[in-house]
């Protein structure tokens, strides 16, 4: 029988030498293998483990609940956030009210790239929005995650090098394996009807689409935030406010500042 992977997270209530060894020995006696172990929060450890059957997990859970040195937090089939927590040693921050919104700061770019790469690897339609102030690293993170996911990225609209507006794609660019990047501000400010027709065609493809500035994008299209599968927020620091006032004041997307070219 193929082994099943599980995620175990526990909080240390009484820290003493040899505690981790006791947990490891218990898993060994139950013939459960440890895949990865790491601290995932202050005073917490997370483990990815392999078990042959569910009975082993039931026995493990019952024994762990008798230990007065730890408190079991989670014992479940691992989710993406669990795997990344063990890999990076911390959990991704999630919005308490909107479960599809995830928050990152610049110090966590490695975690952000890893998170997006795992999302990009999944087949089929996926619409991802990313919020953040200028020069915080949004586009660069998306491109890096595309490389990690072995995806070819295409800028439908962007300001990464020059202001880019695509009005058409060549035949092989319509591939479901490509990742399409749309800048909501650039598309709204400079796009013509041919560009929006292309955006609608791309939205119908069973592929991954990433929209920067999704709030501006939905204000000027028939799409809503409910259409997005994930919303990612990237800040310089946790207290930074994401606002679009600076875009209006600096007119930072004008042709005089950046130049522009259309396809």
């Amino acid at each position: 029988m193929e082994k099943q992977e599980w995620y175990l997270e526990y909080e240390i209530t009484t820290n003493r030498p040899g505690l981790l060894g006791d947990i490891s020995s218990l898993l060994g006696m139950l013939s459960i293998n440890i895949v990865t172990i790491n601290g995932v929060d202050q005073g917490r450890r997370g483990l990815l483990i392999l078990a042959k059957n569910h009975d082993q997990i039931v026995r493990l859970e019952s024994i762990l609940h008798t230990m007065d040195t730890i408190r079991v937090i989670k014992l479940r089939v691992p989710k993406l956030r669990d795997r990344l927590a063990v890999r990076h040693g911390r959990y991704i921050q999630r919005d308490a009210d909107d479960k599809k919104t995830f928050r990152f700061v610049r110090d966590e770019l490695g975690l952000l790239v890893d998170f997006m790469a795992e999302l990009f690897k999944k087949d089929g339609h996926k619409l991802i929005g990313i919020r953040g102030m200028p020069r915080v690293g949004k586009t660069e993170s998306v491109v890096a995650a595309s490389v990690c996911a072995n995806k070819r990225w295409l800028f439908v609209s962007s300001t990464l090098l020059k202001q880019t507006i695509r009005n058409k794609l060549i035949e092989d660019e319509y591939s479901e394996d490509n990742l399409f990047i749309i800048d909501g501000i650039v598309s709204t400010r400079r796009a013509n009807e041919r560009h929006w027709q292309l955006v609608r065609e791309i939205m119908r493809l069973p592929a991954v689409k990433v929209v920067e500035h999704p709030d501006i994008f939905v204000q000027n299209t028939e799409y809503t935030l409910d259409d997005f599968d994930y919303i990612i927020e990237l800040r310089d620091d946790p207290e930074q406010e994401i606002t679009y006032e600076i875009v209006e004041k600096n007119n930072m997307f004008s042709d005089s500042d950046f130049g522009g070219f259309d396809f």
Side-chain angles (χ1 to χ4, degrees):
M1 180 183 296
E2 187 176 352
K3 290 187 175 183
Q4 167 89 39
E5 198 168 45
W6 294 81
Y7 175 70
L8 166 64
E9 181 178 322
Y10 63 85
E11 180 182 33
I12 301 171
T13 56
T14 304
N15 198 1
R16 60 170 177 76
L19 177 58
L20 180 57
D22 291 344
I23 301 292
S24 302
S25 298
L26 172 61
L27 292 170
M29 287 187 290
L30 293 172
S31 299
I32 298 175
N33 301 118
I34 298 175
V35 179
T36 313
I37 183 169
N38 202 354
V40 295
D41 202 351
Q42 189 69 29
R44 292 190 182 184
R45 286 198 181 105
L47 297 87
L48 288 177
I49 56 179
L50 280 176
K52 292 180 180 178
N53 55 64
H54 187 260
D55 290 340
Q56 290 174 299
I57 299 301
V58 172
R59 289 197 296 271
L60 172 64
E61 186 173 24
S62 65
I63 297 172
L64 290 177
H65 281 306
T66 66
M67 299 179 63
D68 56 6
T69 52
I70 67 168
R71 181 170 65 92
V72 176
I73 306 297
K74 297 168 187 171
L75 184 54
R76 65 190 184 194
V77 175
K79 300 179 180 180
L80 175 57
R81 291 179 71 226
D82 299 330
R83 296 183 187 279
L84 293 177
V86 173
R87 195 179 301 170
H88 292 271
R90 55 181 147 174
Y91 259 99
I92 296 171
Q93 185 179 356
R94 196 173 192 174
D95 191 285
D97 299 318
D98 183 3
K99 296 299 184 182
K100 68 181 180 183
T101 299
F102 299 86
R103 297 193 176 107
F104 298 83
V105 294
R106 278 189 62 89
D107 289 345
E108 300 173 324
L109 285 182
L111 177 58
L112 169 60
V113 169
D114 204 1
F115 175 63
M116 287 197 294
E118 293 297 327
L119 299 181
F120 295 169
K121 290 175 185 177
K122 298 179 181 179
D123 295 329
H125 166 80
K126 192 168 278 69
L127 185 58
I128 301 169
I130 181 165
R131 297 178 178 130
M133 297 301 288
R135 292 174 292 278
V136 76
K138 299 183 299 297
T139 307
E140 295 85 346
S141 298
V142 173
V143 170
S146 303
V147 174
C148 293
N150 198 27
K151 291 273 188 178
R152 177 189 179 189
W153 68 92
L154 294 173
F155 290 116
V156 182
S157 57
S158 174
T159 59
L160 185 62
L161 297 176
K162 281 180 172 284
Q163 195 169 107
T164 304
I165 297 283
R166 298 290 299 269
N167 292 325
K168 61 183 177 180
L169 302 180
I170 60 178
E171 186 174 349
D172 70 326
E173 290 181 329
Y174 283 95
S175 170
E176 300 172 6
D177 293 327
N178 290 342
L179 183 141
F180 301 91
I181 304 172
I182 301 168
D183 188 307
I185 292 178
V186 175
S187 289
T188 297
R189 288 204 166 192
R190 294 205 58 234
N192 55 29
E193 184 53 37
R194 286 190 300 162
H195 173 79
W196 285 113
Q197 182 60 37
L198 174 61
V199 169
R200 294 184 187 102
E201 290 177 15
I202 290 171
M203 286 295 182
R204 291 193 290 266
L205 288 175
V208 178
K209 280 79 67 171
V210 178
V211 177
E212 296 183 31
H213 312 295
D215 305 281
I216 302 297
F217 180 78
V218 300
Q219 287 176 11
N220 298 274
T221 66
E222 64 269 32
Y223 304 100
T224 70
L225 289 177
D226 291 336
D227 295 319
F228 285 79
D229 300 292
Y230 299 90
I231 298 289
I232 294 168
E233 296 180 352
L234 179 58
R235 294 173 169 83
D236 283 314
D237 60 77
E239 304 304 319
Q240 184 183 39
E241 181 183 0
I242 298 175
T243 174
Y244 297 101
E245 292 179 7
I246 190 173
V247 176
E248 298 296 334
K249 288 179 181 177
N250 295 343
N251 196 23
M252 63 173 296
F253 289 99
S254 66
D255 284 349
S256 60
D257 290 334
F258 281 82
F261 55 89
D262 297 342
F263 289 92

